[in-house]
Each structure stands twice: as structure tokens, then as C-alpha cells.
Amino acid sequence: MLIIITTAVNSAQVPFSYVADVIFVPIQNGLNIISRSVTEYSEEFETKQALLEENSKLKEQVDELTTQNSQLVLDTYRLEELENLYALDNQYSDYEKTGAYVISKDSGNWFSTFTINKGSADGITIDMNVLSGSGLVGIVTSVGPHYATVRSIIDDTSAVSAMVLDTSDNFIVNGSLSMMSGDKVLPFADLQDTDDEVNVGGAVVTSYISDKYLPGLLIGYISTVDTDSNKLTKSGTITPVVDFEHLQEVLVILKTKEQANESTEASGDET
């Protein structure tokens, strides 16, 4: 009986094994493939997510470094500006000065008239001379408690009594936005150079006879000079030493020409 039963069972297992091989094994293989695919996709997703997070962090670092670099460039430029103002301050050490920022200007590329962030509360008054870069910028024309308006020497309404430093010959330097826009020069006229001593390259400073500007402030250098038709005077152009396209900081001399004259007279009377 045991032999019969064993034989019967073994005979029954044949079709069951066949069914398992045909149906269940492929299903299992399919499930294994799906499982591996899901695992690989999950790992790939995690890798991409990690890369995206790393990329985002790198972008933040790049943005931070870019900001730091921009700030460094700005600080370098600011340092150069301060060094120039310091050198200018030493150049005219006889005058008490205060620094100020340009906070607004008229439309256009040139700083022909502009506003600074200091005014009467800081001791600034009308007719005080303004410096920047290497020399004269202009003069204060109006003052508020915490601001002042400056008219530069390139403005069309400006006229500065000047002289050639080497020869002390006097003449008038006029403002001209059109000439500044063209050749970046200013015209001068009424130069009496009877001995023909004035040459291109000569330094031009404010004259002692100016009624508004303190003497000896550098304006620029002669770029052209020609004899007028009357054969008595000369005219030409000068190249200003100040960059009137990029003014940011200025020095205001805290004494007008009138106050300087009064101080000189007072000192003379005491003597």
C-alpha cells in the first residue's frame, strides 16, 4: 500500500511541477526584475536628489563668492577714492576741508550741477570751493541744513579766473558741456602772453585775482593755444584734471575767498 501510495503521489507531482515551471517561476522572475528595477530607480533617484542638493549648495556658494568679489571690487575702488582724497587733502593742507558724498545730479552724463550730503549744519556756506580727484570741481551755489548744491566748472554758466602756473599769466576758463562731450576740454580766452611763454602742457590754476575761487587750485593743463585775430591775446583749450563723469566723493574747503581775504587782512592788522 505504501508503494502504491508513493507511486501515486510521485505521479501527481509531475503535472504540478510542470505548472510551477510554466507559471510561477516566470512570475517570480518578473517580480525579481521589477524589484531590482525599483531598487535601481530608487538609488538613482536618491543620487539625483543628492546631486541637485549639492548643485544648489554650489550655486549658493557661487552667489556668495560673486557678492564678496563685487564688494571687494567696490572696497578697492572706495579705497582708491579715499587715497586720492587724502592726497588731495595733503596737497591743499593749508585749508580746512570736509568730505561729502554726491547724492544726486542733473540729467545727462556730466556732473555739471549736483547735490552733496552736507550743508549748513556741517559748516558749509555758499561760494565755498569744492575739490575732487586732483583739483577743482566747482563752487557751492545753494545750501540747506543737510545738503548743498555745487556748480562745476564745466557747466555752461561757469567762468573761472585762472592763470598759467609757470608764467602767472591770467585768463578766463569757461564752462562748456558741448566741448566736454566732444574732446573733453574746456575753452579759455583773453590770455595775454606777449612773450610767447605759454605752451601746451602748462599747468592751469585758479588766479589770485579771482573773486570766488581760492588761489592756486589746480584746474587742468593747456591742450591747445592759438593767437587771436587781434594779435594781442590768445585763446585755446585746457584738459581738466577732474573726472566729471564719475564723481562720487568731494572735499569742500570750509572757507570762502572772502573769508580768506578777511583772515589775511586781520593777520596783517595784528602784525
Side-chain angles (χ1 to χ4, degrees):
M1 289 178 65
L2 290 174
I3 293 172
I4 295 172
I5 292 171
T6 302
T7 302
V9 170
N10 289 335
S11 299
Q13 285 180 346
V14 174
F16 179 80
S17 299
Y18 176 78
V19 171
D21 289 340
V22 172
I23 299 176
F24 294 110
V25 171
I27 291 175
Q28 183 63 43
N29 290 335
L31 291 175
N32 290 338
I33 292 173
I34 293 173
S35 177
R36 286 196 301 269
S37 298
V38 170
T39 302
E40 291 175 357
Y41 177 79
S42 177
E43 292 176 352
E44 183 179 356
F45 178 78
E46 291 178 358
T47 302
K48 287 183 178 179
Q49 190 68 24
L51 289 174
L52 288 174
E53 291 177 359
E54 184 178 359
N55 186 52
S56 178
K57 291 179 181 179
L58 289 174
K59 284 184 177 179
E60 291 178 0
Q61 292 177 0
V62 169
D63 291 341
E64 184 178 355
L65 290 173
T66 301
T67 301
Q68 292 176 358
N69 184 61
S70 299
Q71 185 62 45
L72 180 61
V73 172
L74 182 61
D75 290 344
T76 302
Y77 179 76
R78 166 101 170 121
L79 179 61
E80 291 177 355
E81 286 290 312
L82 292 176
E83 288 176 345
N84 291 335
L85 289 179
Y86 179 74
L88 190 63
D89 186 27
N90 290 333
Q91 184 177 347
Y92 301 105
S93 58
D94 293 341
Y95 300 120
E96 181 183 0
K97 296 172 286 294
T98 183
Y101 289 104
V102 178
I103 55 176
S104 66
K105 72 178 188 68
D106 285 349
S107 60
N109 295 329
W110 300 99
F111 285 77
S112 57
T113 58
F114 56 90
T115 304
I116 58 177
N117 67 336
K118 289 189 178 180
S120 57
D122 305 288
I124 295 177
T125 63
I126 293 175
D127 288 342
M128 284 184 171
N129 296 184
V130 181
L131 308 174
S132 185
S134 300
L136 180 65
V137 171
I139 195 167
V140 175
T141 55
S142 65
V143 177
H146 302 290
Y147 71 91
T149 302
V150 179
R151 183 185 67 227
S152 70
I153 61 172
I154 68 171
D155 188 76
D156 291 330
T157 62
S158 177
V160 182
S161 178
M163 70 177 185
V164 181
L165 185 61
D166 293 338
T167 65
S168 296
D169 291 314
N170 295 304
F171 56 95
I172 301 296
V173 175
N174 296 300
S176 175
L177 291 175
S178 61
M179 293 187 70
M180 283 297 297
S181 298
D183 298 324
K184 295 186 178 182
V185 296
L186 293 176
F188 72 81
D190 300 327
L191 170 63
Q192 295 184 354
D193 178 31
T194 56
D195 297 327
D196 292 328
E197 295 178 339
V198 176
N199 299 307
V200 171
V204 177
V205 299
T206 50
S207 171
Y208 289 92
I209 63 174
S210 174
D211 59 343
K212 297 290 186 182
Y213 291 95
L214 294 162
L217 304 179
L218 183 62
I219 301 174
Y221 297 91
I222 294 178
S223 50
T224 63
V225 57
D226 300 297
T227 302
D228 296 331
S229 58
N230 58 19
K231 305 297 183 182
L232 300 175
T233 59
K234 293 182 178 180
S235 58
T237 59
I238 71 165
T239 301
V241 292
V242 173
D243 182 358
F244 287 99
E245 285 186 286
H246 306 97
L247 285 178
Q248 291 188 347
E249 296 172 324
V250 296
L251 290 177
V252 182
I253 298 177
L254 297 175
K255 182 179 287 188
T256 64
K257 179 65 179 294
E258 183 179 359
Q259 291 170 339
N261 290 339
E262 290 174 355
S263 298
T264 302
E265 292 173 0
S267 297
D269 292 341
E270 291 177 0
T271 303

